[in-house]
Amino acid sequence: MRAFTYEKAASPQAAAARAAEVEGATFIAGGTNLLDLMKLEIETPVHLIDVNGTGLDTITETAEGGLRIGAMVRNTALAADARVRRDWPVLTRALVAGASGQLRNKATTAGNLLQRTRCPYFYDTAQPCNKRSPGAGCAALTEGAFSRQLGVIGTSDACIATHPSDMAVGLRVLDAVIETVTPAGLTRTIPLADFHTLPGATPERETVLMPGEMITAVILPAPVGGRQAYHKVRDRASYAFALVSVALIRQPDGTGRVALGGVAPRPWSSAEADAELPNGARAVIATLLSGARPTEENAFKITLAERTLAAMLQEA
Amino acid sequence: MSPPIAFEIRRRTLLASSAAAAMSVAAQRPAAAKTPAVPAPETRTVTLNVNGTARQIAVDTRTTLLDALRETLHLTGTKKGCDHGQCGACTCTVNGARINSCLSLAVMHDGDEIGTIEGIGTPEALDPMQAAFVKHDGFQCGYCTPGQIQSAHAVLDEIRAGIPSHATGDLTAAIALTDAEIRERMSGNLCRCGAYANILAAITEVAEQDA
């Protein structure tokens, strides 16, 4: 691990201002992904700003009937919150489908959204990766590469990595909004749908956050009811990343919302696909994954997404 | 699998193309660019309350909680397996919650209450979970066992606290203590000897004693 200097920030505003001021600085919250990457020298911050003491660790009710989830709320605390379990159960289901008990006790709401891809070529520093070293090339797109886990849609000729979060898929189907503070001390809100950028020619850029800008909260809108479920298909029964995951909210009249994980650089969802829900899983997935560009190794994900959603709709 | 010669050609092509790419990037970005100099290593003093005793130590900022426990405090009961949060051998409690101590920095734990295997029972007076692991052969080589014991305690506490898991049915009802719940919650602790069935039996016995 490269050497770095360290400070604890007392407030989100102070943290954001410092992050913009100190070149090469990074926030550290739970650290469960950042430290992993720092050990491999994939992340090489020269200064860490510890944001655990910034007072963002509570979940409060909003005037609109929703919840304001502090950026430092641990994944366990969020999954266990009685209000979330009762009124936004798809979020609890998504959270407990991810990682392990130990990691969920430490990982934070904001950090979960900002975790990096688990593409094996991003992790292997002996391989070219446009996300790690812009312009180096993409080993995942070379002949014979292992792309079983990688993306089928929203990808580009520069990068086919997926966003690994389960929580983000639950938040996407719930139409969550991210609140940030800028280095100038201003608050801004960003719908989660617009938060993660697609790789295009610049896969090193993953979100719309500006330098130094810090997530302070995630806002859930008022409960939408319906039957809520999260199904994750993976290569082992627990503690593995999704091949495909499906978050579903289905209303008694057959309408609802769908978001997919494990297929794209961000939680994958569209209003056009949601409108197809009364017509069944095939119609939804045909719309949602229209234009998909899978590799030979991961083309199965399209069929798997359709069959997973079909199974979930039968359970209703 | 391609024959070795084909691999050689592919590898050479790859190196040539990535070298070209690297040059074009260098041309676009002036050398002055954005690689801030790596600072000199920084040492900080922190106080860890380990198993109820305050221990003040000086650590390089890069020191993980795991390395601080093992290398600085010589509490080697906590094991280093993968050092990447994948195996659970380093599981400790911080302020009562289990975490992977390999994925946390010692400097982030100033004033925290750290619980390690050294704080759970002694060879002469085993903790009930340790005794149950012995009784049920919940290990072979024993390397993962401190982490397994830490997680086993935490799993029972987490179920009692009503924290749901992937194996939980009704999210609004009390959580039933089933094999499926224990297995799912223990999935962050790998055992390469494969003593899982016996680990499950040990945890189940302690859970029933406590019930």
Side-chain angles (χ1 to χ4, degrees):
Chain A
M1 199 187 295
R2 305 265 182 94
F4 56 85
T5 49
Y6 170 88
E7 72 176 293
K8 277 184 197 291
S11 71
Q13 291 76 12
R18 281 292 283 160
E21 184 180 45
V22 183
E23 203 174 307
T26 298
F27 301 123
I28 185 163
T32 52
N33 185 222
L34 180 62
L35 287 170
D36 183 24
L37 294 167
M38 284 170 67
K39 289 179 184 192
L40 298 167
E41 298 193 354
I42 293 167
E43 295 273 11
T44 53
V46 300
H47 184 69
L48 287 187
I49 301 168
D50 182 344
V51 290
N52 285 288
T54 51
L56 301 173
D57 54 356
T58 57
I59 305 173
T60 52
E61 284 156 33
T62 66
E64 293 75 29
L67 288 182
R68 184 177 188 280
I69 304 159
M72 294 305 125
V73 171
R74 309 290 149 172
N75 288 178
T76 297
L78 182 54
D81 186 277
R83 294 161 293 189
V84 175
R85 275 156 44 197
R86 186 186 65 228
D87 293 331
W88 296 271
V90 68
L91 179 54
T92 289
R93 293 291 182 200
L95 279 159
V96 297
S100 66
Q102 290 97 312
L103 290 169
R104 291 192 298 269
N105 281 346
K106 194 136 194 307
T108 62
T109 306
N112 188 310
L113 293 171
L114 294 175
Q115 66 180 303
R116 311 294 305 274
T117 185
R118 297 316 196 281
C119 172
Y121 302 101
F122 173 70
Y123 262 75
D124 183 351
T125 52
Q127 301 278 348
C129 170
N130 288 320
K131 195 182 269 301
R132 190 167 16 82
S133 315
C138 172
L141 285 168
T142 56
E143 197 192 327
F146 297 102
S147 56
R148 177 176 168 77
Q149 283 282 349
L150 304 180
V152 299
I153 195 162
T155 53
S156 72
D157 291 338
C159 182
I160 60 168
T162 58
H163 194 270
S165 172
D166 290 296
M167 182 193 81
V169 183
L171 289 176
R172 178 68 187 90
V173 85
L174 289 167
D175 250 343
V177 173
I178 292 164
E179 187 185 285
T180 70
V181 61
T182 69
L186 303 173
T187 297
R188 97 166 156 141
T189 55
I190 307 159
L192 179 60
D194 303 332
F195 182 73
H196 294 105
T197 52
L198 296 181
T202 54
E204 71 278 12
R205 183 168 170 78
E206 296 175 354
T207 72
V208 297
L209 289 176
M210 300 179 292
E213 187 173 12
M214 177 178 154
I215 298 176
T216 49
V218 173
I219 315 290
L220 290 181
V224 292
R227 195 182 68 82
Q228 303 190 6
Y230 186 77
H231 278 216
K232 179 176 180 180
V233 185
R234 42 187 157 174
D235 277 334
R236 62 182 183 191
S238 182
Y239 199 17
F241 290 97
L243 290 166
V244 164
S245 67
V246 181
L248 170 68
I249 299 176
R250 196 184 196 199
Q251 302 297 344
D253 64 2
T255 63
R257 299 172 54 92
V258 173
L260 301 182
V263 296
R266 64 182 183 207
W268 202 252
S269 185
S270 79
E272 297 73 31
D274 290 344
E276 295 291 338
L277 250 183
N279 302 322
R282 178 157 296 180
V284 172
I285 299 300
T287 307
L288 190 49
L289 296 184
S290 159
R293 297 197 315 164
T295 66
E296 205 175 315
E297 267 203 353
N298 69 18
F300 74 92
K301 287 190 175 194
I302 293 165
T303 315
L304 186 58
E306 182 190 316
R307 290 180 182 172
T308 305
L309 179 60
M312 293 168 79
L313 292 175
Q314 273 181 6
E315 282 171 25
Chain B
M1 197 56 131
S2 312
I5 184 69
F7 174 76
E8 282 300 317
I9 290 163
R10 239 173 51 201
R11 182 173 155 76
R12 223 176 292 138
T13 314
L14 186 68
L15 288 173
S17 64
S18 41
M23 282 192 301
S24 69
V25 171
Q28 286 158 17
R29 294 187 186 182
K34 308 186 175 179
T35 9
V38 178
E42 184 180 64
T43 300
R44 290 294 187 99
T45 302
V46 292
T47 300
L48 307 179
N49 296 309
V50 185
N51 302 323
T53 305
R55 308 285 298 267
Q56 195 181 68
I57 54 173
V59 288
D60 185 302
T61 52
R62 290 168 287 184
T63 312
T64 60
L65 177 59
L66 171 63
D67 286 341
L69 291 169
R70 288 181 57 85
E71 310 295 331
T72 311
L73 295 173
H74 302 134
L75 292 169
T76 54
T78 306
K79 300 302 185 217
K80 182 182 280 193
C82 68
D83 209 25
H84 285 276
Q86 296 174 5
C87 78
C90 68
T91 303
C92 287
T93 60
V94 171
N95 301 330
R98 60 172 167 154
I99 66 160
N100 299 109
S101 61
C102 73
L103 289 185
S104 202
L105 294 171
V107 288
M108 296 170 72
H109 293 290
D110 194 26
D112 282 351
E113 298 291 334
I114 316 294
T116 74
I117 193 70
E118 288 87 353
I120 300 179
T122 63
E124 296 74 35
L126 293 178
D127 157 86
M129 190 66 76
Q130 291 172 320
F133 268 64
V134 173
K135 177 181 167 187
H136 291 278
D137 262 342
F139 50 83
Q140 284 185 46
C141 80
Y143 195 79
C144 71
T145 311
Q148 299 279 1
I149 301 268
Q150 290 279 14
S151 263
H153 272 295
V155 161
L156 298 184
D157 290 346
E158 288 164 10
I159 292 173
R160 278 186 215 108
I163 293 167
S165 85
H166 186 60
T168 305
D170 183 350
L171 288 181
T172 56
I175 298 167
L177 210 153
T178 61
D179 284 3
E181 282 283 1
I182 296 173
R183 283 179 186 279
E184 161 61 27
R185 290 166 191 268
M186 290 296 292
S187 71
N189 290 81
L190 305 188
C191 168
R192 299 304 293 270
C193 302
Y196 296 112
N198 298 350
I199 292 169
L200 176 64
I203 300 172
T204 304
E205 181 174 294
V206 174
E208 285 168 356
Q209 284 166 4
D210 291 352

